[in-house]
Amino acid sequence: MVGAGRTTRLRRSVIRLTALSGAGPAGPVSLQADGRRRTRKTMADLILEIGAEEIPAGFVPGALEQLKHDLAKALGEARLAHGDVVALGSPRRLFVCAREVAPKAVDAKTEALGPSVGQAFDAEGRPTQAALGFAKSQGVDVARLERVQTPKGERLAVTRIEKGRKADAVLPELLGRLVAGLRFRKAM
């Protein structure tokens, strides 16, 4: 529940990235149906537990819904794949868990479109001011500009690939914003 008020005074917050099924020397593990242990190195469950002095009982359901929604949204924006998000709580504790969070964000590919090739090069094939300005605005040399076919014709473009960051580098800031963004109907 988002309101105009400030957050309820939180006594402490505990942030843990862990596998709910336990961890062994080989990393997070889970049990198979026959009881054998299976190593699960690719995914882990994210648990965020917030301890509070006392949140009014009527505020807890809204806070849990907000935590669940905001965590799913933040993980998506950080490009961290995840499974179900579950939130539970009481007046003294709020708990949210995201199942199977990827250890690394997915790489992002962005493409910036520039002027048409006809405007970008003169009759002799030299770059015009349009091509030079586009290259400068993108922070690349004119030689790095690519030609791409679009519904509006052939245009210049710059393609960038942003490498995904590791979850343990992304999560502390993400969870800090999540806790700081928690709002209640009334300030305490």
Side-chain angles (χ1 to χ4, degrees), residues 23-59:
V29 297
S30 63
L31 296 178
Q32 293 179 347
D34 60 3
R36 290 184 299 149
R37 294 166 64 97
R38 177 176 57 95
T39 302
R40 185 179 58 175
K41 294 182 180 179
T42 57
M43 303 285 189
D45 295 334
L46 169 69
I47 299 170
L48 172 65
E49 178 182 3
I50 304 170
E53 288 181 9
E54 189 73 27
I55 300 171
F59 290 9

Side-chain angles (χ1 to χ4, degrees), residues 57-78:
F59 290 9
V60 173
L64 293 175
E65 189 59 37
Q66 181 186 350
L67 277 173
K68 181 179 175 180
H69 174 267
D70 290 355
L71 180 60
K73 181 179 175 187
L75 289 172
E77 288 172 354

Side-chain angles (χ1 to χ4, degrees), residues 97-148:
C97 174
R99 304 287 304 193
E100 299 178 347
V101 176
K104 183 179 178 240
V106 178
D107 295 346
K109 180 179 177 181
T110 58
E111 184 175 75
L113 293 176
S116 68
V117 172
Q119 292 175 333
F121 298 101
D122 62 16
E124 289 135 19
R126 291 187 305 245
T128 64
Q129 201 56 33
L132 295 171
F134 176 65
K136 183 178 178 182
S137 73
Q138 297 301 312
V140 297
D141 190 58
V142 176
R144 281 211 45 228
L145 297 176
E146 305 167 351
R147 294 176 183 221
V148 295

